[in-house]
Amino acid sequence: MIGMLNGTVAEIDADVAIIDVNGIGFELRMPVSDLGAMHGGQQVRVYTALNVSQDSLTLFGFLAKTSRTLFAQLQKVSGIGPKVALSILSTLTPAQLAQAVAEGDSTALSRAPGLGRKGAQKIILELAGKLNLDEVTASASKGARRSDPALKQCIEGLVSLGWQQRDAESAVATVCDEEEIALPLAAEDVPRVLKLALASLDRGR
């Protein structure tokens, strides 16, 4: 079993990345957000999951352990295969996924292509109580901050203004998702993200 790769990004396509590990190129299917966070020549650590079917071997990759764990948990739900699980993780961040399950928000889940309302309700039913929102949020945010200094700057800025760490992380993630702001965050986007996240937090008081 291949559990992790350390290597260089050789190519990035719409849903696939090729990671060069000592001259061997591993083709990985990855969430859209992870693909967008990488660039050619970048050194990366990717956590992997191998799917074996009758006629193929497919390697899935994730920049965070949390995403790989959720990928496995989603596939334990009846009717959810690796393709749909990847679609969900391309549509929702780990924290958003855990929150949707915790709140029974089938609308948020059903935004994922290929899922549908019934599939979303089944995920909520079978994973309710099994996803620790605080743990998922903390783990995902730690990984994001480690690889994205500008994102870390936004979160720390909100915390310095008196907001809780979890609320700041959730607000920044939501703003980037809703406004389709590319990650890793560019330095020039920091003021905009801070302003929008602060407005979102103020509305939620």
Side-chain angles (χ1 to χ4, degrees), residues 16 20 23 25 96 101 117 149 180:
V16 170
D20 183 337
Q96 289 170 337
V101 171
R117 184 59 64 91
E180 298 184 350

Side-chain angles (χ1 to χ4, degrees), residues 36-112:
M38 301 189 301
H39 58 81
Q42 179 182 0
Q43 293 292 315
V44 293
R45 171 178 292 177
V46 183
Y47 300 95
T48 60
L50 181 64
N51 181 71
V52 181
S53 63
Q54 277 189 324
D55 54 1
S56 67
L57 297 175
T58 306
L59 196 59
F60 293 87
F62 309 89
L63 293 181
K65 276 186 179 179
T66 306
S67 296
R68 183 180 64 179
T69 299
L70 290 173
F71 180 71
Q73 287 181 296
L74 284 167
Q75 290 179 78
K76 292 178 181 178
V77 176
S78 174
I80 303 298
K83 185 177 180 180
V84 174
L86 186 65
S87 174
I88 294 169
L89 291 170
S90 288
T91 305
L92 301 173
T93 65
Q96 289 170 337
L97 171 58
Q99 186 167 1
V101 171
E103 296 177 353
D105 188 354
S106 60
T107 300
L109 283 168
S110 60
R111 287 166 48 200

Side-chain angles (χ1 to χ4, degrees), residues 7-197:
T8 305
V9 179
E11 294 180 28
I12 300 177
D13 206 339
D15 58 356
V16 170
I18 295 179
I19 308 300
D20 183 337
V21 182
N22 297 323
I24 300 175
F26 290 85
E27 182 178 281
L28 306 173
R29 294 195 172 277
M30 301 181 69
V32 172
S33 56
D34 285 355
L35 291 169
M38 301 189 301
H39 58 81
Q42 179 182 0
Q43 293 292 315
V44 293
R45 171 178 292 177
V46 183
Y47 300 95
T48 60
L50 181 64
N51 181 71
V52 181
S53 63
Q54 277 189 324
D55 54 1
S56 67
L57 297 175
T58 306
L59 196 59
F60 293 87
F62 309 89
L63 293 181
K65 276 186 179 179
T66 306
S67 296
R68 183 180 64 179
T69 299
L70 290 173
F71 180 71
Q73 287 181 296
L74 284 167
Q75 290 179 78
K76 292 178 181 178
V77 176
S78 174
I80 303 298
K83 185 177 180 180
V84 174
L86 186 65
S87 174
I88 294 169
L89 291 170
S90 288
T91 305
L92 301 173
T93 65
Q96 289 170 337
L97 171 58
Q99 186 167 1
V101 171
E103 296 177 353
D105 188 354
S106 60
T107 300
L109 283 168
S110 60
R111 287 166 48 200
L115 182 58
R117 184 59 64 91
K118 287 186 177 180
Q121 291 172 342
K122 189 176 293 186
I123 288 172
I124 291 169
L125 180 65
E126 296 192 27
L127 294 186
K130 297 180 181 179
L131 302 183
N132 185 313
L133 179 57
D134 290 334
E135 184 179 310
V136 169
T137 300
S139 177
S141 298
K142 181 179 178 182
R145 294 197 306 273
R146 185 169 56 242
S147 60
D148 194 336
L151 199 67
K152 179 181 179 181
Q153 182 181 345
C154 289
I155 294 168
E156 290 178 346
L158 293 172
V159 171
S160 71
L161 292 173
W163 295 98
Q164 294 294 318
Q165 179 88 13
R166 172 182 162 183
D167 293 335
E169 291 166 351
S170 177
V172 169
T174 299
V175 163
C176 290
D177 180 56
E178 291 181 348
E179 298 295 323
E180 298 184 350
I181 299 172
L183 298 177
L185 195 64
E188 57 266 27
D189 284 329
V190 169
R192 178 188 174 204
V193 170
L194 269 173
K195 181 179 179 180
L196 291 171

